[in-house]
Amino acid sequence: MDIVTVHNLKKYFGKGENQVKALDGVDLTVEKGKFTAVIGASGSGKTTLLNMIGGLDTPDEGEVVVDGVNLSGLKEKELAVFRRSKVGFVYQNFNLVPTLTVKENILFPLSLSGSTPDPVFWEEIVELLHLKERMNAFPGQLSGGGQQRVAIARALISKPAIVLADEPTGNLDSRSGQNVLGLLKMSVETYHQTLVMITHNLELAQMADRVVRMEDGRIRG
Ligand SMILES: Nc1ncnc2c1ncn2[C@@H]1O[C@H](COP(=O)(O)OP(=O)(O)OP(=O)(O)O)[C@@H](O)[C@H]1O
Ligand SMILES: [Mg+2]
């Protein structure tokens, strides 16, 4: 079953000679429960595509459907609800709140919608990502790998329809990048969580169920 369908997606930036075709007719389906890696040269449109799937930006043309929701018809407020209820984001720079503890950071998106996690799932995720002993630490007291494990827990805890990760190991040394990605892969497999991850690291991309390559705003296999 496909959880994401992208059809003829176009996004152009600028005008005339300076126009950049960031997305130039992208068709893509993402299978539920699978780990898809997106690779491609800098500027090929990877982040633009991920942002469209996550409802962070709107296309000029084409369609994005995520878990039965067609994003084209949604107004800004509805997109915010979509993001909160359906998407977990993981970024290169972790995007944690420095003044909140590890526990508060993980719970932050849920708290926005006034909900609390399933206690069993909470225990499992915290164990799986080796965060149990660090609940009261602040992000600044953790290594880069530790901070990214917090961001991953935060993305997973709401059991979103899809987790979108934009170069999650980009700020980590290769060893901790491998460790973090190993844990991410194990968590998505354990919970049949759909994951789309951008990476420049071909070795890490090989850990995915499927590798999608972008070139000049299009999918090239
Ligand atoms: N907000 C924007 N305004 C103008 N141009 C943009 C904007 N966002 C992206 N672009 C351009 O669109 C193209 C695709 O950008 P995008 O960030 O999607 O590439 P990318 O594949 O993620 O690259 P990288 O690997 O460097 O992160 C680039 O030429 C970029 O400069
Ligand atoms: Mg990018």
Side-chain angles (χ1 to χ4, degrees):
M1 183 200 151
D2 293 329
I3 198 151
V4 176
T5 310
V6 171
H7 179 59
N8 193 32
L9 205 64
K10 295 187 180 175
K11 182 74 174 181
Y12 297 172
F13 292 107
K15 288 217 152 51
E17 270 179 30
N18 298 321
Q19 189 176 62
V20 174
K21 297 181 173 180
L23 297 179
D24 196 18
V26 169
D27 289 291
L28 177 70
T29 54
V30 175
E31 206 182 322
K32 189 176 163 119
K34 296 284 168 147
F35 171 11
T36 303
V38 180
I39 61 168
S42 185
S44 59
K46 304 181 297 297
T47 295
T48 307
L49 175 60
L50 215 69
N51 287 347
M52 301 286 167
I53 295 172
L56 287 168
D57 202 355
T58 49
D60 296 335
E61 246 183 71
E63 203 173 71
V64 179
V65 180
V66 179
D67 199 24
V69 180
N70 189 332
L71 303 193
S72 316
L74 302 189
K75 300 190 182 68
E76 194 44 57
K77 264 195 180 158
E78 296 167 322
L79 277 175
V81 172
F82 160 79
R83 288 192 296 267
R84 217 186 295 145
S85 59
K86 302 267 189 194
V87 191
F89 293 97
V90 181
Y91 296 99
Q92 182 169 356
N93 59 5
F94 323 129
N95 276 17
L96 301 174
V97 183
T99 54
L100 298 182
T101 64
V102 164
K103 184 175 183 181
E104 290 164 343
N105 266 284
I106 299 171
L107 293 174
F108 188 59
L110 280 179
S111 70
L112 289 177
S113 44
S115 47
T116 51
D118 165 358
V120 176
F121 188 56
W122 167 266
E123 286 296 326
E124 287 178 5
I125 287 291
V126 160
E127 286 270 336
L128 201 64
L129 292 165
H130 310 318
L131 291 168
K132 209 175 169 63
E133 314 301 322
R134 308 313 306 270
M135 278 299 124
N136 297 316
F138 290 95
Q141 298 173 308
L142 272 59
S143 65
Q147 292 183 55
Q148 197 59 303
R149 286 187 276 112
V150 175
I152 290 169
R154 180 181 59 183
L156 293 172
I157 199 68
S158 63
K159 300 184 179 169
I162 189 163
V163 171
L164 302 174
D166 195 343
E167 300 189 44
T169 63
N171 277 356
L172 305 177
D173 62 71
S174 69
R175 206 183 122 165
S176 76
Q178 287 235 343
N179 288 339
V180 166
L181 191 56
L183 289 172
L184 177 58
K185 185 179 154 80
M186 195 200 295
S187 352
V188 298
E189 274 174 2
T190 305
Y191 299 106
H192 308 290
Q193 172 67 62
T194 314
L195 166 67
V196 178
M197 178 189 79
I198 296 173
T199 185
H200 276 113
N201 185 322
L202 298 184
E203 207 178 312
L204 297 184
Q206 296 313 316
M207 290 168 70
D209 299 309
R210 177 186 173 201
V211 180
V212 168
R213 192 164 64 90
M214 289 197 74
E215 195 180 300
D216 298 330
R218 295 182 182 202
I219 306 282
R220 299 280 185 206

